[in-house]
Amino acid sequence: MRIFSFFFVVLGIFSIVFFSIRIIPGDAVDVMLGDNVSLASRQELRAALHLDVPIQTQYFLSLKNLFHFDFGTSLALKKEVTPLLLSSFWNTLVLTLAATLFANLVGIPLGVLSVAIREKKFDAWVVLLSIWISSFPVFWIGPLLISAFALHWPWFEISGGNGAMALPAISLSFGFTAIV
C-alpha cells in the first residue's frame, strides 16, 4: 500500500514542480541565451528543450523521462544528469548509513539511561538536550564542527582520507539523534 501511495506522492510533487515552473513569467530560452542571439538559435534551443510543443505534451514527455531515469543534460556542465547523480550515490549512501549509525549509538543509550535513571533532573536534562540538539540547523552545525574539530583541534580531516566522513556524518545525525 505504501509503494502505491509513494507513486502518487512522486506524481503529485512532479506535477506541482512542473506546472509551477511553467507559470513563472518570462521565457526560459531568453534567460539562457540573452538578448543578442538569432531567432534560429532561439528556435533550436526551444526544440531541444521541447518548449515548442503544447504544455500537455511537455508534461507527458517529462513524465516519461522521469520514469526512464532520463533527466536530460545539465545546462551548466553540458553532461547527462543521470550519470552525475549516480556518481554521487555511493558517497551519499555511505554518509547516510554513517549518520544513522552515529545517531543510534548516541540516541539509544541516552534514551535507555533516561528510562533507567528515573531522576526527574536527569530525564529533564536529556529531554532538554535532545530538543536543543534537534533545533540546530545542519548547515550551521557543519561549519561549526569543521572549525572546532578540524581547524582549531585537528582531530578530523576536512577532505579526503578515512576521517573525512566523520564530521559530515556527525553533523547530519544531530536531528536524528534527538528523535531516537
Side-chain angles (χ1 to χ4, degrees):
M1 185 64 184
R2 285 183 182 242
I3 292 175
F4 186 68
S5 64
F6 172 76
F7 172 76
F8 286 108
V9 169
V10 169
L11 182 63
I13 292 172
F14 172 80
S15 299
I16 289 169
V17 170
F18 179 86
F19 289 111
S20 295
I21 290 172
R22 297 309 188 272
I23 63 173
I24 295 173
D27 187 12
V29 173
D30 289 339
V31 171
M32 285 187 246
L33 294 179
D35 294 332
N36 301 329
V37 179
S38 69
L39 182 62
S41 296
R42 290 178 191 283
Q43 289 174 341
E44 183 181 324
L45 183 58
R46 274 196 182 85
L49 297 175
H50 303 293
L51 297 175
D52 57 345
V53 296
I55 193 164
Q56 61 268 26
T57 307
Q58 292 177 30
Y59 177 78
F60 288 114
L61 277 172
S62 297
L63 194 61
K64 179 191 78 137
N65 290 342
L66 174 71
F67 287 115
H68 287 114
F69 296 103
D70 179 13
F71 301 117
T73 303
S74 167
L75 298 174
L77 300 175
K78 308 289 188 238
K79 294 180 180 178
E80 290 292 319
V81 173
T82 305
L84 291 172
L85 290 174
L86 291 176
S87 69
S88 301
F89 179 74
W90 179 251
N91 289 336
T92 303
L93 181 66
V94 170
L95 181 60
T96 303
L97 291 174
T100 303
L101 177 68
F102 183 79
N104 286 322
L105 288 175
V106 173
I108 291 174
L110 280 177
V112 169
L113 280 174
S114 180
V115 170
I117 302 173
R118 293 276 176 164
E119 283 185 35
K120 291 189 180 206
K121 285 184 179 180
F122 181 76
D123 188 42
W125 276 106
V126 169
V127 170
L128 180 67
L129 181 68
S130 66
I131 291 171
W132 187 59
I133 285 175
S134 67
S135 67
F136 288 146
V138 174
F139 63 83
W140 184 75
I141 293 171
L144 187 69
L145 290 175
I146 289 172
S147 176
F149 298 113
L151 300 175
H152 187 65
W153 300 297
W155 296 349
F156 295 100
E157 296 178 31
I158 295 176
S159 65
N162 296 330
M165 189 69 75
L167 290 179
I170 292 168
S171 177
L172 288 174
S173 70
F174 263 51
F176 187 59
T177 300
I179 295 170
V180 172

